[in-house]
Every structure is written in structure tokens, then in C-alpha cells.
Amino acid sequence: MAAHDINLPYVPTWCAGCGDYGIFMALKKAMTSLNLDLEQTVLATGIGCSSKIGQYMNTYRIETLHGRSLPVATGVKLANHNLTVIAEGGDGDGMGLGMGHFVHTARRNIDITYFIHNNQIYGLTKGQSSPTSDLGAVTKFTPAPLGNVEHPINIVKMALNVGATFVARAFVGNSTQLVSLMEQAISHPGFAVIDILQPCVSFNHTNTYQWYQQRVKPIEEMEGYDPADLEKALTFAGLWGEQIPIGLYYQTLRPTFQDSLPQLSHQPLAKQKIDNIDITNLMQKLY
Amino acid sequence: MNKSYYTCLFGGEAGYGVMSAGSIIAKGANRSGLWSFVVNEYPSLIQGGLNSCLVRLSDKPITAYEETIDFLGLFSQQAFDCYADKLNPGAIVLYDATTTKIDATKVPEGTLLCPVALASSIPKGGAKIMINSAMLGAFAAFTGYPKQILIDVMKTEFHNEKIQQENIQILDEVYHLVMETLSSSKTFPFPFEPKAEPKMLINGNEAISIAAIKAGCKFSAGYPMTPGSSVLSYLADHGAEYGLVFKQAEDEIAAINMLIGASFAGTRAIGSTSGGGFALMVEALGFAAQAEIPLVMVNAQRGGPSTGLPTRTAQADLNFVVHASQGEFPRIVLAPGDIEECFYETFRIFNLADTYQVPCIILTDKFLADSSVSQLPFATESLTIERGKLFEAKEQPYLRYENTPDGISARAIPGQVGGRHIATSYTHGEDGFYSSGNKEYALNEPMVTVNSMDKLYNKLPAMEKEIPAIKFYGPPNADLTIIAWGSTKGAILEAMELAASQNISVNFLQILYISPFPITATELVLQQAKKTLLIEGNKTAQLGSILRANTGHKTDYTFLKYNSRAFLPSEILAKIKEVLF
């Protein structure tokens, strides 16, 4: 499979310079180098600029509702666990409406990969605060002088706390690392999350390419780094400011949700024969 | 006139096995050539409160119940206070004098008051719930219901050998205790046939669940909400052996989105909830419609608005489910009226969901979902699976939302070679793309929008033709035509029998599928109708407004009941007489 196999004859409608282009390119590269079978891959997205990525990728895609990519992806995976299921959306999509689903998808460790395009702002609705906006961030809904008075959600910390088994943070400006993390995340058996830092060139004038570039630092260069150590990962996750570690924070293996279901041990639900099912036994139980 | 029904009612706090006592009697009757109808009433409480189980028995099929009691088994004072005035002349009241004080002035003349030491018949350390075995022993002795039939049912109900033996022993001891003092007052009116063909004791939710399994449903997701939950627990309990996965979701929103995901991936799926849960699911209902993903949902109605009455019945979600969601789209709303319709129409609706790729809602209520009825085994030989138009690899280029004359396009399932596409919640063109995501589409947006909406509605003619949406009962030229939907059916049919026996001529138009509304079929009936009477379990005559909107017909009379209980045949007969005379 070549990267161009994934392309469709449509030109993306993201703003020039949008971080979504970088994520789009990186995902295509990761999928190509993993040689994913596009017929066996489902991309579930939410709503927002980030979620438009599904419009441009020639796999099976389902563009869901705002915040609902993960439960839809869960249904897809349970119906056919042979599929590679990737979910994508933004910080608003995933940490706002989708927060409950995020927590529960992580704790059930279903084999889904989740890429969060985190630009700390609502882009498609033109510049409102998001659950990851910094304290004091001035947006359409949190105007000056106060700006945003709510603490931002730290996606990595959140993912670690609720049981995700692969947790990484990446910066779209570091494409090589992003592609590699995506490959690892897709290959990881279990719920894998990457918090992808991504500038919104139209509405977030604080967290720009330069802002990130000055702060991001490969996590493996930091003292005491050990991706098998959850406590360490949580400590690194607390770093947000002068230094922002990027890379694989934490990875562990525990049984996936779908592996714990005996019904899935033979074949996917979607492949089962459904003609002439005998319900005599169920009726007799009611005599 | 021979007595045609025998009604037992057991009442007491949760924990005494009130409902299991009723179900043992009903099952015994079902195995012995009789018919039963079991209505459970219970508050939304884990302990205490007044639970009751009414068992109506007959030697012919029963479609409804009356609260006229021939045997009242009391486990608490409250049960006596609540049901004393519902006793038939000559009824037996069985109670334990240590727990229940009987005020003889409150019961009809001729009532037999029978104190039995129920509680003290339980061995030391025995569970409170064993009192129901003592109750059953006394019941058999007083009424003449064969003791051995009860014991045979207990043998299949209690899987734990020790518990089974303990309970049978209590039943036996109390039976003999009563028999020793009893002169003779056997009141049970029907003969038992020990070798009769057994019938199921089944409620609406069980019938829907079994139909789903028969229809090849392999996935269910949901969040508990009375009275919809028992579909989910049935599937959790019995589905696995049929390869079905049930997933308890974090909330109703997750549940319906999981169902949509599974259906998109090619698996038949069902969800079940009540009005409040359905309200949370509405956004995704529209998503399924827009993305044309088959979806089957059960809404078992309870009292509302808001949390309303969790364990009581109502028919007040009709307008809501028919119109639920922003925008507009065709959907199928089925309102089964009895157990057979719960089973056969649920099976059919899985085929309809796949064929038309639309959301389908099975609208029941607590009364239908939760009341158990005698039912002969379902005939399943002629039930066949129809998956609708499916993509075949040779068709290229593949357009998921191709505009066909009947509005239905071929579905490709993820994993199929050549079927890659986008399913989307946005208004889209034939390939699934939409204007704000693509500059090319933006140029043609008004046209794409019209085509997309027309495509959804092009399905209607075929749907209307295929779905047998009404049922008609009674003589064609009756003096009165009753119009109703859902679980009122049983009480109406019994009221019609009563009416016929008094030479009152009534017929009945049952609207089985309410969306799309069966305009032509309904109009044909209305043209013949002399007077019309609408019967519904809500305050605002919701079917009446739908009927009027679709046919222009305003019914001559309405009978609305919204006191959280089901219609009784006697009150429908009274209304018929009021209208006609």
C-alpha cells in the first residue's frame, strides 16, 4: 500500500497552516509504513475541524456526532474485532462532550487507537474556549480581562489516571516522532491515546508553532524516564509550561475488553450466520 | 352464567416472594391446560412498599385483567388495606394474624377470612422469602388448586436442590395443617389436565428479546432504565449462548452510538430503554437516519414527564418518538399490542431496518413489557432473514448513497473489498461527501441537499406498501369503531366480547405501525365507521392528533386514562355503553 492509496480526490478545507494537515500527513505515513489493509480499517471521527480528516482518507470511515466517536468505534470493534479501529477528534470533541466516553473506553481497554487533535480552542465554531484552554486564555466565550478561569484538562494525566494502556503526547511540528508514535499506538493491543499538540492558526494566537517549538522536549531525554512506570509518567504529565515532554509516556499490557468476551473467540459477530437460529430452548425455559 | 375467570392476588412488601408465588401458580396452570395473565405492580423501592402480583386464570385465552379478586393472599397490612374492597363475593382472604389485622367491616359480605400461621411455619433461621411457599401450601388447600402441580413447578424453578426441598417441605406442611381444619370450601372452578401441551409464561420484553435472538441480533448495548431494562438483562443472560454480546454502556448516549457502530460494521443490534433514556438517545437517532444505518430501539413507556413514575405504565411517548430529533426523516414506529406482536413484529422490524436502512422504534409500555401471559410456542418455520440491498464487490464505482428510484442504496460492510466509503451525520451527496468539507460540493449545495432529503423520503412508498400497518377486529358494520394502539388491545378485545354477549356491536381498528402512518388503510376503515371512539393511555389524545393530521378525522369520542394503570375491560365496556346509549 502506498500513501497515495489513502488519498481521495478532494482538497481539504482546513485553513492554510492548520495543524490538521500535519496530523493528516503523519497518519497516512504511519498507515503506509504499517501496511494497513484499507478495507479492514475503520476511522471513526467526531465533529469539528479535526474530525474532517475522515473526509479525506480512503478507508472505511464513520463521521459521527460531536463527542461520540469512541462509543461508535467501540460498537464497530465489538461487531468485528478483526478490523483496525482508529478514532479521531479534537480537544473539545473528546474532552468536552466525549469526556465520559473517553474515561470509560480507557478503563475497558478496548483495542482502539485514539488520536486527539489538541489545539486548545474550538476552531470550527470560530474561537471559543475548550476544555484544554490554558487558564486566562482569552476566547470568544471567555473574553478579556478575565479570560478562561477554569483549569484545563491535561489529556495525558487524564488518560493515565483512567487506565489507558498506551499514552503519548506528540507535537505536530515533530513529524518524525508523531509518525512513529502513531505506528506504535496503532500496533498496541489495547486503548492507545496520543495527545497531539496542534496549533490553530486562526483562533489560538498563544499556542503557536513557535510557542510549542520552544517548549517541547523529547521525553526520553528527561531524567528518570521509564515508560513502564506509571508514577513517573504521571510526574512527567504534570509538566506543562517551560518544558512539555513529548513522546511515549506510558505503555503496559493488560487483557483487552474484546479478549475477555468468549463470544468473540471464534469469529467476529458480523460474520456469524444468522439464518435458522433455533430458539426452541429459550421458549421451553418459559414453560 | 358460569364463572369464566379466577383471580388470585398476592400482596406484600418486597422480599416475600410475592411475584414468584404468582408466577408458580400461573406456570402450573399453563402446564395443565389453563390460561393465565399475570400483572405485577411494584413501587420504585428495593425494600418495603406494596408489591402485588395478580394472577388471572381461565380455561380460555386471556387478553386482559380485572381487579376483582377471588383469592387474596396477604403478606402485609398494607396489602389488605389496598385490596379489601376489590374482593368478589365468596372470596378467600388468607393472612397471618400475627402480621395482619383484618377489619371485617371492610370486606364484602360472604368473604371467607382465613388466618394461617404462615410465618411460624418457617424453620428457625429460614429466609423470609420462604413464607411464599407456606402461602402456596395454604392456597392449594383452600382453593383446591392441585398441590402437586405447584410442587412440580417449584422443582423446575428452584435449581438449588436444598432450597427446593426446604420450600416443598414448607408447602406440604402448611397444606396438611390447613387441610386438617378445613371443612370443605374448594372454590377453584376449572379442571386441570395434567397431560396438556405446555404453554410459555412470557411477558412483552421476553418476547421482544427472543425475537431479537431469532432475528440474528448479535449485539446489544444499554443503560438500565425501568421498564426497558429487562430486555437488556434477558440478552445479557441468554444472549451469550447465541454468540450475542451485551455491553452495559456508561450512559444512554454511549449505548445508542455503540449500536450504530455495530450496525455500521454489519451486525444486527438492539437497544432498550424507557422515555427518559430515549430522550438522551434522540441526537443519535437522527445520526442513524442521516447515515442510513439500520437501528432497532425499544422504548418501554412509563409515567412521565421527567423521572415520572418509574414502575408504572403510560402511553404518553407517542408524539415524542414519532417526531424525535431535529430535522425530518422517515422512521418506523411499531406499537405491538400483545405478546405475539412483540415477537413476530420485532422479528419483522429487524428485516425492515435492514431493508430500508432507517431507525426503527418498538414502542411498548410497562404493562405490556412486564405482564406475563400464557402463550403457545411461536411458530418460527416461516421466519426468514432479509438483509436488504448489500454491496457486491463487482459494482464499481461504489456510491454508498446512490440515488435509486426507491431511495435505497446498497450497503457495504467494513472489510468488504471495494466498498470503502464514508458514513456521515452531515447532509451528503451520493458518495457521502458534504459541502462544508469539500469545495467541489459547496458549489452544488442546494441541489445536493434536496436530493439527499428526497432520497430519504423516496423510501416511503415501498415502506407503506410492505408494512401491514393496521389490524381490524369485529363486524364491519358495527355501531361503534374503537381506534387504539399498543397495549390497550387486550382490554379492548375483552370488552368487545362482553359487548357482543350483550348484543352491542363494536369493532376495533388497531394502529400497529404508527410511522409511517397507514393513511390509506385507516381511511378505508373510517369511511365505514358509524361512530368512532379513541382509547389511549395519555392526557392529550396523542394518536388522535396524529390521526387527525394524517386523515382529517376527528374521533367522535375519546376515552383517556392516565392514572398510571392499564385499561380494564369493564371500564371500556362502560364507556362503550355511555357512548352508544
Side-chain angles (χ1 to χ4, degrees):
Chain A
M1 196 248 305
H4 63 78
D5 291 334
I6 310 177
N7 286 333
L8 285 161
Y10 289 106
V11 181
T13 54
W14 295 310
C15 307
C18 175
D20 285 327
Y21 286 104
I23 298 173
F24 179 44
M25 297 307 291
L27 181 59
K28 287 199 284 187
K29 271 191 194 160
M31 288 171 70
T32 310
S33 70
L34 289 173
N35 201 22
L36 283 191
D37 182 344
L38 297 176
E39 318 278 4
Q40 296 283 341
T41 302
V42 173
L43 183 60
T45 62
I47 294 295
C49 295
S50 52
S51 291
K52 288 186 183 180
I53 194 165
Q55 288 272 317
Y56 313 122
M57 312 255 324
N58 195 5
T59 61
Y60 278 93
R61 292 95 68 211
I62 180 160
E63 190 169 27
T64 71
L65 298 162
H66 197 42
R68 312 300 172 208
S69 62
L70 287 176
V72 172
T74 299
V76 172
K77 188 72 186 182
L78 291 177
N80 186 349
H81 57 276
N82 288 344
L83 299 171
T84 300
V85 181
I86 300 169
E88 265 183 269
D91 40 295
D93 189 76
M95 297 294 111
L97 282 88
M99 175 56 94
H101 308 311
F102 176 72
V103 169
H104 292 280
T105 311
R107 77 180 174 88
R108 65 179 67 111
N109 195 36
I110 190 164
D111 186 15
I112 290 171
T113 311
Y114 189 29
F115 299 138
I116 305 177
H117 304 214
N118 182 3
N119 58 12
Q120 299 174 257
I121 195 88
Y122 277 76
L124 196 57
T125 51
K126 301 189 177 170
Q128 297 82 7
S129 66
S130 108
T132 60
S133 293
D134 288 326
L135 265 177
V138 172
T139 74
K140 266 195 185 139
F141 280 8
T142 57
L146 279 180
N148 176 35
V149 297
E150 291 175 33
H151 263 274
I153 285 164
N154 181 322
I155 294 174
V156 169
K157 242 192 206 176
M158 175 64 70
L160 291 168
N161 274 319
V162 296
T165 49
F166 178 104
V167 183
R169 177 174 278 148
F171 168 50
V172 73
N174 186 339
S175 181
T176 312
Q177 189 200 42
L178 175 59
V179 171
S180 156
L181 287 171
M182 282 177 157
E183 288 168 19
Q184 292 173 62
I186 294 168
S187 309
H188 172 78
F191 188 59
V193 183
I194 307 182
D195 173 23
I196 307 172
L197 305 175
Q198 165 226 8
C200 172
V201 292
S202 294
F203 299 107
N204 187 340
H205 302 300
T206 305
N207 310 107
T208 60
Y209 284 98
Q210 294 82 348
W211 189 91
Y212 285 119
Q213 226 116 37
Q214 286 159 10
R215 288 167 174 78
V216 296
K217 186 177 174 185
I219 195 169
E220 58 272 19
E221 293 173 13
M222 304 189 86
E223 202 186 318
Y225 170 67
D226 177 5
D229 185 338
L230 181 61
E231 290 304 315
K232 281 249 166 60
L234 278 161
T235 309
F236 286 124
L239 296 175
W240 183 270
E242 292 312 303
Q243 282 197 327
I244 302 173
I246 54 171
L248 174 62
Y249 277 65
Y250 180 66
Q251 183 171 22
T252 190
L253 290 177
R254 64 181 160 89
T256 63
F257 181 75
Q258 72 272 15
D259 286 344
S260 65
L261 298 171
Q263 299 97 310
L264 303 186
S265 60
H266 301 301
Q267 57 181 343
L269 301 181
K271 306 267 185 205
Q272 292 189 36
K273 289 242 178 308
I274 65 171
D275 285 310
N276 300 318
I277 292 170
D278 186 0
I279 53 166
T280 313
N281 181 38
L282 294 176
M283 294 195 287
Q284 281 172 354
K285 278 183 186 166
L286 294 166
Y287 286 167
Chain B
M1 183 176 139
N2 286 333
K3 196 165 195 185
S4 50
Y5 298 103
Y6 191 84
T7 300
C8 329
L9 190 140
F10 298 91
E13 289 176 9
Y16 283 109
V18 171
M19 288 161 193
S20 101
S23 118
I24 288 169
I25 288 171
K27 282 194 175 182
N30 285 355
R31 294 179 191 182
S32 314
L34 299 181
W35 300 79
S36 57
F37 196 100
V38 181
V39 183
N40 293 316
E41 288 293 353
Y42 46 93
S44 184
L45 280 174
I46 304 301
Q47 295 188 327
L50 175 58
N51 287 18
S52 74
C53 179
L54 179 149
V55 187
R56 195 181 201 206
L57 299 168
S58 177
D59 55 359
K60 58 180 200 234
I62 316 177
T63 61
Y65 80 109
E66 293 282 354
E67 275 185 350
T68 47
I69 300 165
D70 299 300
F71 178 92
L72 178 60
L74 298 172
F75 294 96
S76 78
Q77 184 69 45
Q78 204 185 349
F80 174 75
D81 297 341
C82 192
Y83 292 106
D85 65 343
K86 306 237 162 48
L87 294 163
N88 273 331
I92 295 170
V93 179
L94 182 63
Y95 64 101
D96 187 326
T98 59
T99 58
T100 312
K101 299 277 166 273
I102 299 297
D103 180 349
T105 63
K106 293 197 171 148
V107 300
E109 208 170 318
T111 304
L112 304 172
L113 299 174
C114 312
V116 177
L118 298 171
S120 60
S121 64
I122 308 305
K124 277 213 158 35
K128 185 172 86 169
I129 196 166
M130 289 174 165
I131 292 179
N132 75 0
S133 298
M135 175 69 85
L136 287 172
F139 165 78
F142 279 114
T143 62
Y145 186 111
K147 180 190 71 166
Q148 193 53 43
I149 290 178
L150 298 174
I151 291 174
D152 289 346
V153 177
M154 281 167 103
K155 282 182 181 162
T156 51
E157 294 286 287
F158 296 114
H159 297 298
N160 180 315
E161 187 93 11
K162 186 167 166 283
I163 293 174
Q164 184 195 110
Q165 284 313 315
E166 281 173 354
N167 279 283
I168 290 173
Q169 198 182 337
I170 293 169
L171 184 148
D172 223 26
E173 282 173 8
V174 175
Y175 176 80
H176 288 295
L177 181 81
V178 174
M179 288 300 279
E180 281 165 19
T181 58
L182 207 59
S183 49
S184 165
S185 75
K186 312 270 186 201
T187 55
F188 200 79
F190 308 115
F192 288 77
E193 295 172 42
K195 289 191 176 143
E197 185 192 356
K199 297 183 272 288
M200 299 182 281
L201 181 68
I202 185 170
N203 67 36
N205 276 358
E206 287 165 338
I208 288 170
S209 306
I210 295 175
I213 289 172
K214 175 69 189 165
C217 172
K218 297 295 176 197
F219 183 72
S220 177
Y223 189 84
M225 185 168 189
T226 308
S229 307
S230 58
V231 169
L232 307 175
S233 50
Y234 186 96
L235 294 175
D237 236 14
H238 299 89
E241 63 183 287
Y242 289 86
L244 178 147
V245 169
F246 167 71
K247 178 76 202 87
Q248 180 178 346
E250 54 270 26
D251 54 35
E252 282 90 346
I253 298 172
I256 189 170
N257 281 287
M258 286 177 187
L259 297 170
I260 291 172
S263 181
F264 168 70
T267 297
R268 285 187 162 185
I270 193 169
S272 178
T273 185
S274 190
F278 192 81
L280 289 170
M281 296 175 168
V282 164
E283 184 199 31
L285 188 79
F287 167 35
Q290 182 71 279
E292 299 189 52
I293 294 169
L295 176 69
V296 177
M297 275 305 312
V298 179
N299 176 352
Q301 297 163 100
R302 63 192 225 183
S306 190
T307 308
L309 285 154
T311 63
R312 309 298 181 189
T313 203
Q315 287 188 303
D317 290 352
L318 177 62
N319 273 331
F320 172 49
V321 302
V322 164
H323 299 290
S325 176
Q326 70 272 40
E328 46 193 350
F329 55 83
R331 72 196 72 196
I332 294 174
V333 176
L334 158 71
D338 57 25
I339 296 297
E340 292 208 339
E341 286 165 1
C342 283
F343 179 79
Y344 292 107
E345 299 305 326
T346 296
F347 182 89
R348 185 199 307 272
I349 217 164
F350 274 96
N351 284 345
L352 294 174
D354 272 353
T355 300
Y356 295 103
Q357 304 171 19
V358 293
C360 296
I361 301 149
I362 302 168
L363 189 59
T364 64
D365 54 47
K366 186 261 168 190
F367 179 62
L368 179 57
D370 211 27
S371 302
S372 296
V373 187
S374 307
Q375 170 70 46
L376 290 166
F378 302 117
T380 58
E381 304 74 38
S382 60
L383 299 178
T384 52
I385 304 283
E386 290 152 27
R387 298 300 312 255
K389 285 189 198 169
L390 291 171
F391 165 78
E392 284 169 41
K394 55 186 187 292
E395 308 157 10
Q396 287 293 336
Y398 171 55
L399 292 171
R400 167 65 186 92
Y401 300 106
E402 186 181 6
N403 259 324
T404 59
D406 63 4
I408 303 162
S409 31
R411 277 171 79 201
I413 305 299
Q416 270 188 295
V417 175
R420 282 177 278 169
H421 66 273
I422 185 165
T424 178
S425 58
Y426 283 99
T427 296
H428 51 264
E430 292 181 271
D431 54 4
F433 292 90
Y434 62 94
S435 58
S436 62
N438 298 282
K439 290 171 177 131
E440 296 78 357
Y441 259 109
L443 296 171
N444 302 314
E445 186 172 76
M447 193 183 79
V448 171
T449 308
V450 168
N451 288 345
S452 142
M453 188 54 67
D454 287 345
K455 176 186 189 300
L456 296 182
Y457 278 88
N458 283 345
K459 297 173 184 179
L460 273 180
M463 273 162 75
E464 283 165 332
K465 211 166 152 190
E466 177 178 350
I467 301 171
I470 64 154
K471 288 193 180 178
F472 185 79
Y473 301 87
N477 298 314
D479 295 330
L480 180 68
T481 298
I482 292 174
I483 302 169
W485 62 283
S487 72
T488 54
K489 175 179 182 175
I492 291 168
L493 291 178
E494 192 178 315
M496 285 168 65
E497 263 182 53
L498 294 170
S501 72
Q502 299 173 25
N503 291 321
I504 303 169
S505 158
V506 180
N507 60 28
F508 168 34
L509 169 63
Q510 181 198 1
I511 313 287
L512 180 58
Y513 283 81
I514 303 179
S515 179
F517 192 82
I519 297 174
T520 314
T522 303
E523 278 174 342
L524 278 174
V525 174
L526 290 173
Q527 279 160 16
Q528 306 289 320
K530 293 179 187 159
K531 283 180 182 165
T532 51
L533 167 65
L534 178 77
I535 297 181
E536 291 190 68
N538 58 53
K539 169 87 181 158
T540 56
Q542 299 190 11
L543 178 68
S545 65
I546 294 172
L547 182 72
R548 201 168 182 184
N550 281 283
T551 65
H553 179 86
K554 180 177 186 299
T555 56
D556 302 311
Y557 305 94
T558 55
F559 183 24
L560 305 174
K561 184 173 180 181
Y562 44 92
N563 71 346
S564 78
R565 298 298 194 271
F567 281 93
L568 305 175
S570 54
E571 60 194 8
I572 292 174
L573 179 66
K575 185 72 188 179
I576 290 170
K577 288 179 177 171
E578 178 195 319
V579 164
L580 286 179
F581 310 116

